[in-house]
Amino acid sequence: MGGEPVQDWQKAVASTLEWWRDAGVDMLVEDDVRDWLARTPPPAAPAAAELAVAAPAVEALPDTLEAFVEWRMSDAAPEAEWHMPRFAPTGPADAEWVFVTDVPEGEDSETLMSGPVGRLLDRMLAAIGLSRESVHLLPLAWARPLTGRIAPDDEARLIELARHHLSLLRPQKLFLLGQSASRVLDETNGDSLTNPIRAVNHFGGKTLAVASFHPRFLLERPAAKGEAWKHLLLLSRGTE
């Protein structure tokens, strides 16, 4: 009877050692003395270099109109890959009115809108006392795509460049010709033509903007000319 407690203790120790072995414990002591009451230090903070996330590179576009136009006509511009003739904007840089179109016309040879579409635009301008020489005409795409329309993959980039161009012009009145041009401004993108005039402040000052029909569309649907005439008058009078 006197040996049973010792035997029970040995069995208990053996059972504990066996459980530790199964759990992966292969050493019961450490070489160094450990203060088990001491608090465990927090893990070291990652180095600053590891925390730093590289910011996306922001493209620096030319900040003068002359330099920007030169860049847009260079091999660095998006249209360089299209291998089509490019057409620079026309009209004075300090023009009160800026007209934005989508692409050069198929009939254009030396300047923008030099065919039937351009002749209709000239008549529209003359009706409100303006001329081609007094307004700035800006295309979204400076070369005509093979399809005659701006591809969806190219549109966002071309709109971004047009906005930069407008920031260098600081127009007082902005007339957007057609659906693609209307997307230059969030305020006119997909907007109804029932009350088309908008006052925006995106280009270094107040700009009155109207999105209207493209002369190309008016040649196909002459019935819409009356509505386009109302838009021209609205912007000419400068009232919201």
Side-chain angles (χ1 to χ4, degrees), residues 186-226:
D186 293 335
E187 291 84 352
T188 58
N189 183 9
D191 200 7
S192 170
L193 298 179
T194 56
N195 183 23
I197 195 165
R198 295 287 182 269
V200 299
N201 191 16
H202 301 316
F203 311 118
K206 181 181 178 180
T207 300
L208 294 178
V210 167
S212 188
F213 302 109
H214 197 285
R216 188 190 310 121
F217 177 84
L218 298 178
L219 287 176
E220 298 172 355
R221 302 187 184 181
K225 289 182 180 179

Side-chain angles (χ1 to χ4, degrees), residues 6-219:
V6 175
Q7 186 177 11
D8 292 342
W9 176 83
Q10 291 174 338
K11 289 181 179 180
V13 171
S15 177
T16 301
L17 292 175
E18 183 178 357
W19 185 88
W20 282 352
R21 183 179 66 250
D22 293 341
V25 178
D26 56 1
M27 184 174 64
L28 299 180
V29 296
E30 294 180 343
D31 294 335
D32 299 325
V33 177
R34 175 184 296 189
D35 184 358
W36 293 96
L37 298 179
R39 292 185 177 181
T40 303
E50 296 177 1
L51 292 176
V53 177
V58 178
E59 181 181 12
L61 295 171
D63 58 1
T64 66
L65 184 61
E66 181 180 3
F68 183 67
V69 170
E70 182 179 356
W71 181 87
R72 289 292 275 114
M73 297 293 284
S74 73
D75 292 340
E79 299 90 339
E81 300 178 356
W82 301 0
H83 304 293
M84 297 289 286
R86 267 180 273 180
F87 296 85
T90 62
D94 59 350
E96 178 184 5
W97 287 67
V98 174
F99 286 71
V100 179
T101 185
D102 50 359
V103 299
E105 301 300 315
E107 303 85 0
D108 290 348
S109 55
E110 296 181 1
T111 61
L112 288 166
M113 292 192 176
S114 54
V117 172
R119 289 192 288 273
L120 177 55
L121 176 64
D122 290 337
R123 294 198 295 272
M124 293 168 63
L125 294 175
I128 55 172
L130 299 174
S131 67
R132 185 77 70 96
E133 292 73 27
S134 65
V135 302
H136 195 94
L137 180 58
L138 167 65
L140 293 182
W142 289 28
R144 182 175 176 82
L146 290 175
T147 61
R149 296 177 178 272
I150 297 174
D153 292 343
D154 296 323
E155 187 176 75
R157 175 60 169 157
L158 294 175
I159 286 176
E160 175 191 3
L161 295 177
R163 288 172 176 170
H164 182 74
H165 193 124
L166 290 169
S167 71
L168 300 175
L169 296 174
R170 298 185 177 183
Q172 297 177 41
K173 297 179 179 180
L174 184 61
F175 203 81
L176 305 170
L177 300 171
Q179 193 66 39
S180 293
S182 74
R183 288 192 275 272
V184 168
L185 297 178
D186 293 335
E187 291 84 352
T188 58
N189 183 9
D191 200 7
S192 170
L193 298 179
T194 56
N195 183 23
I197 195 165
R198 295 287 182 269
V200 299
N201 191 16
H202 301 316
F203 311 118
K206 181 181 178 180
T207 300
L208 294 178
V210 167
S212 188
F213 302 109
H214 197 285
R216 188 190 310 121
F217 177 84
L218 298 178
L219 287 176

